[in-house]
Amino acid sequence: MTSYTFGRELRLLTPAQFKPVFTNPIKASSAEITLLAIPNSEQNPRIGLTVAKRFVKNASDRNRIKRIIRTSFRLNQHDIPNLDIVVLVRNGVVDMDNAQLHRLIEKLWRKLSRRYNG
């Protein structure tokens, strides 16, 4: 049976794990969200989230956005190639409802996979 857990092995946890992603990434972006990714040597993709307080003022909104992105990643992890992915959230994302945000992030996963696979 396929596992849909979101354990520590699926997360970028330290600044040292985040840093290489910013050097020469594969990008997939919209006006509100940018995904940066580099191939990793793990057996699974890993994700790191950056939701800046200056773009999303309210803590409950930041948590909602992070929860939706994590849930989408968890459910799509088997379709995403083995990449280290950093999700950058910008202005405008706070105005989106949960369904719009979910659709947008799903589209960005597909775009990232296409760009990686060529």
Side-chain angles (χ1 to χ4, degrees):
M1 186 170 134
T2 307
S3 169
Y4 289 103
T5 59
F6 187 65
R8 288 178 71 81
E9 72 279 359
L10 295 177
R11 295 182 225 162
L12 298 177
L13 299 168
T14 65
Q17 291 174 327
F18 271 79
K19 200 169 185 179
V21 179
F22 292 101
T23 53
N24 191 13
I26 303 163
K27 292 181 184 173
S29 62
S30 71
E32 298 87 4
I33 297 175
T34 299
L35 304 182
L36 304 174
I38 58 168
N40 70 24
S41 56
E42 308 291 321
Q43 296 301 310
N44 47 296
R46 297 187 303 178
I47 188 172
L49 298 169
T50 57
V51 181
K53 197 183 281 188
R54 68 176 189 175
F55 293 136
V56 185
K57 300 273 189 272
N58 197 333
S60 61
D61 285 333
R62 283 195 303 279
N63 291 336
R64 174 182 67 92
I65 290 162
K66 289 190 285 191
R67 186 182 65 245
I68 291 169
I69 294 170
R70 275 196 306 264
T71 301
S72 176
F73 176 79
R74 187 176 60 80
L75 296 174
N76 289 292
Q77 65 185 331
H78 304 294
D79 302 326
I80 299 171
N82 295 341
L83 298 168
D84 283 350
I85 304 166
V86 172
V87 180
L88 303 170
V89 173
R90 290 194 298 268
N91 265 339
V93 76
V94 75
D95 301 326
M96 301 172 81
D97 64 25
N98 292 1
Q100 289 172 312
L101 185 56
H102 201 77
R103 277 194 303 273
L104 175 62
I105 197 73
E106 298 261 336
K107 190 172 107 183
L108 290 173
W109 296 139
R110 287 193 301 272
K111 188 188 280 190
L112 191 66
S113 296
R114 275 198 313 271
R115 294 210 169 137
Y116 174 70
N117 293 328

